[in-house]
Amino acid sequence: MRALVRLGGALVLCWMTAGCQTTGDPTQGGLFGWSESKARERQNERQARVAGAETELSSEESQQRALQARSQGAEHQIAAAQSANQRAERGLRAQQAALVAKTGELERESPTPASASRARSWRLKINTIAAQTALSIADRSARLRAIEAEIDTALGKAKR
């Protein structure tokens, strides 16, 4: 009878181990529940996740480099635009100074008080246009050129 109980116990043990689900995780499943093939599947899944994460990281790094290059390009364009704007402002100030000098010459050479007053009026107009920052530098320069043509005409008449 004892032999029968031992045999029955052994059969129950075999039946339990045969019916248990196997796992690839060595921390679960015990001695009979661990499966080498499932462990390899588990390792392959983890390696695939790592490879996917590395690919994603590489893509993110590539995008970062592209954005940095665009940022540097934009910074160079901004610096070039600022430099061009500063040159244009210096040119406008030089144009303004030359016209103010011409109005001074016209005022000194004016034969009548009315023409001297007109020279002072042009000087005020020149300074007002040059100070109008709501207008672009090109617009202010164009308006000053129109006044310069009038001044040059007046200077030509005054010298005759």
Side-chain angles (χ1 to χ4, degrees), residues 11-92:
L11 285 174
V12 169
L13 182 61
C14 285
W15 176 76
M16 286 177 43
T17 58
C20 290
Q21 187 176 8
T22 58
T23 179
D25 189 347
T27 62
Q28 299 175 354
L31 179 61
F32 297 105
W34 185 80
S35 167
E36 184 177 348
S37 63
K38 288 191 178 183
R40 285 194 180 129
E41 284 178 26
R42 186 170 172 255
Q43 288 174 346
N44 289 340
E45 287 173 7
R46 286 187 174 190
Q47 287 173 351
R49 276 188 264 149
V50 168
E54 287 174 346
T55 300
E56 187 177 336
L57 177 62
S58 176
S59 174
E60 293 292 330
E61 288 173 344
S62 176
Q63 286 178 351
Q64 181 184 13
R65 286 190 298 274
L67 288 173
Q68 285 175 340
R70 283 179 59 192
S71 174
Q72 288 175 348
E75 288 173 7
H76 289 299
Q77 288 177 341
I78 288 169
Q82 287 173 336
S83 178
N85 191 49
Q86 289 171 351
R87 283 191 305 273
E89 284 178 0
R90 284 192 301 271
L92 182 69

Side-chain angles (χ1 to χ4, degrees), residues 84-93 95 126 128-145:
N85 191 49
Q86 289 171 351
R87 283 191 305 273
E89 284 178 0
R90 284 192 301 271
L92 182 69
R93 285 193 299 271
Q95 184 181 15
I126 290 165
T128 301
I129 290 171
Q132 289 179 341
T133 57
L135 296 174
S136 71
I137 293 173
D139 288 343
R140 289 183 276 171
S141 182
R143 290 181 182 194
L144 290 178
R145 281 192 300 275

